[in-house]
Amino acid sequence: MACPAVWTVWAVCLLGLDLDVGYYFHLVRGQFRLLWNRQPIERLLKRSDLDPEVRDRLRFVQEVRAFAEGEIGLSRSKNYTSFCDIGDGPVSWNLTACPKDGLEPVRWTYPVVGRFPYRGYFDRKRAQRERDRLAREGYDTYLRPVSAYSTLGWFQDPVLSPMLRYRDEDLADLLIHELTHATVWISGDVVFNESLATFVGGAGALLFMASRYGSGSSEVKGMLDRRADRRLFRAFMHQVAAELETLYASDLSYGEKLDRREAVFEGARTRFAELPLKTKLYSSFPRWKLNNARMMAYKTYHQEIDVFDRVYRAVGRDLKAAVTVFKACERAEDAGAYLEDWLERQKTGSADSPVR
């Protein structure tokens, strides 16, 4: 998760831009609180009174960072070298919104970095007020908690206390996801950036877990089962989204579209029970409040993963080599098209070999 609003704080303060001053002031205050309260992990680990469980988790974070930099080739930085205790969390909330008859999200404009299909808040009540305002205007909304985000090097992102409660594979995935944002970032292309970070986070976490526990360990087996379920569920959700897009593109009236979309959602709940899932990872799905905003938020993180996987396989499942290819996207006008062209040239032997 990247936080575009944080990047614009200094532009607002320094340039005196005519924007929602209250919103940006609350971002300044929230970010400053994190920076002020963080402590270097190395210093914490020297304390004799540090909770043993916290000590183990912080050492685990250090392992993941070292693996991400050395084995995956993510950029060296001071991100996640400090710790901030914020209690149970979350650190912030992200709001997405869509019209009730379409999957095109509301986009918020930020100075310097452009338009994004979500808005972040440190203050939950402020987020809820904006959610309620959009709902009154007739939009679908989805407000979700965020346990971590990346400022892309603008600040040194700390490890936050809620992150320590994650299972090993999920904490590794989260850290590598966020470190990917600080390594590769395509300005203005949120879907590409989030999908790339989701892919590298997942692939990198699997490599890390295999190196730490062994490829045949119960930890890795459980992780592979959950990964299989995520792939199956992702394909399932894409099918639901495709049904909705077909419905919304039809000549039906607005009211008829709203009636029929509820049938699509109900049908999805029915079909979900037939999925051959191996774990209980998505057991709460039948209770999800489905709407366009939730579907759009899901698509943002998973839309283009296939192309990254094809690059990964093309370089012999060498994630470090794949990251080198992904970095080259920053120089391209269209990052997705660049990767497709790179794959095509790879077939003919004309693609540049990744730097190792």
Side-chain angles (χ1 to χ4, degrees):
M1 168 64 63
C3 187
V6 171
W7 314 334
T8 69
V9 167
W10 307 119
V12 172
C13 295
L14 296 175
L15 303 179
L17 298 173
D18 184 17
L19 295 171
D20 183 348
V21 175
Y23 171 72
Y24 286 102
F25 178 75
H26 114 277
L27 292 179
V28 172
R29 184 177 56 197
Q31 185 65 39
F32 179 78
R33 185 168 59 247
L34 294 179
L35 297 177
W36 181 260
N37 291 314
R38 66 186 177 178
Q39 301 179 66
I41 289 177
E42 286 290 354
R43 185 187 303 166
L44 282 171
L45 291 175
K46 293 177 181 177
R47 285 175 44 179
S48 60
D49 61 341
L50 183 64
D51 182 286
E53 185 174 350
V54 172
R55 183 185 303 277
D56 288 344
R57 300 311 283 159
L58 292 180
R59 284 176 173 164
F60 181 86
V61 168
Q62 291 183 319
E63 284 185 52
V64 175
R65 282 189 70 256
F67 186 89
E69 293 174 358
E71 302 301 321
I72 303 177
L74 299 186
S75 297
R76 294 183 182 276
S77 72
K78 292 190 176 181
N79 287 340
Y80 308 116
T81 60
S82 61
F83 173 71
C84 184
D85 188 349
I86 63 170
D88 293 337
V91 63
S92 63
W93 287 262
N94 257 24
L95 176 65
T96 54
C98 281
K100 292 184 180 295
D101 61 344
L103 291 180
E104 181 61 31
V106 171
R107 294 181 182 272
W108 284 268
T109 299
Y110 300 92
V112 181
V113 295
R115 303 177 72 213
F116 281 73
Y118 52 76
R119 193 160 211 186
Y121 294 84
F122 286 114
D123 185 335
R124 185 178 185 178
K125 290 183 179 178
R126 181 182 290 271
Q128 289 172 330
R129 287 196 297 270
E130 178 66 4
R131 177 199 62 189
D132 295 345
R133 182 188 70 80
L134 288 165
R136 287 194 299 272
E137 292 184 5
Y139 289 98
D140 279 347
T141 62
Y142 178 41
L143 184 63
R144 68 184 186 89
V146 175
S147 57
Y149 62 87
S150 172
T151 59
L152 306 185
W154 283 59
F155 304 102
Q156 294 173 13
D157 301 321
V159 174
L160 304 172
S161 48
M163 296 163 60
L164 301 186
R165 296 195 300 271
Y166 281 35
R167 64 163 64 100
D168 284 1
E169 67 190 71
D170 294 330
L171 180 53
D173 193 327
L174 174 62
L175 291 169
I176 296 170
H177 178 113
E178 301 303 343
L179 290 169
T180 300
H181 280 319
T183 303
V184 183
W185 183 259
I186 309 301
S187 180
D189 197 336
V190 177
V191 172
F192 183 93
N193 293 322
E194 295 297 353
S195 296
L196 170 61
T198 296
F199 173 78
V200 176
L206 181 56
L207 292 174
F208 172 80
M209 292 289 288
S211 73
R212 192 175 202 262
Y213 295 105
S215 57
S217 64
S218 60
E219 288 85 356
V220 170
K221 183 181 183 303
M223 184 179 185
L224 290 172
D225 285 345
R226 285 183 284 274
R227 290 296 170 86
D229 281 358
R230 287 191 178 101
R231 287 193 297 271
L232 188 60
F233 186 74
R234 184 166 64 240
F236 165 74
M237 290 293 275
H238 283 180
Q239 182 181 18
V240 176
E243 291 178 40
L244 290 171
E245 287 173 330
T246 298
L247 170 63
Y248 298 146
S250 72
D251 294 329
L252 295 173
S253 69
Y254 179 80
E256 289 174 319
K257 289 178 181 178
L258 296 196
D259 288 341
R260 295 198 183 186
R261 80 169 196 166
E262 293 308 315
V264 171
F265 290 143
E266 192 56 39
R269 293 189 181 92
T270 300
R271 295 199 307 277
F272 170 80
E274 302 170 0
L275 294 178
L277 299 173
K278 300 178 180 180
T279 72
K280 296 187 180 299
L281 195 60
Y282 297 101
S283 59
S284 64
F285 175 77
R287 300 188 297 277
W288 285 13
K289 180 182 178 182
L290 294 175
N291 64 24
N292 293 341
R294 185 155 199 168
M295 294 297 300
M296 188 60 226
Y298 189 88
K299 284 183 65 179
T300 297
Y301 286 82
H302 301 278
Q303 185 165 314
E304 298 178 356
I305 286 179
D306 175 66
V307 69
F308 305 124
D309 184 58
R310 285 185 284 132
V311 170
Y312 183 42
R313 285 186 277 114
V315 295
R317 296 189 178 276
D318 181 337
L319 190 55
K320 194 171 188 177
V323 167
T324 298
V325 177
F326 301 149
K327 284 181 180 179
C329 292
E330 292 182 324
R331 302 191 299 269
E333 284 188 23
D334 184 323
Y338 172 86
L339 292 182
E340 293 291 354
D341 180 64
W342 184 91
L343 285 164
E344 192 60 35
R345 288 185 291 118
Q346 190 76 8
K347 292 178 184 177
T348 62
S350 59
D352 295 333
S353 297
V355 178
R356 296 178 187 266

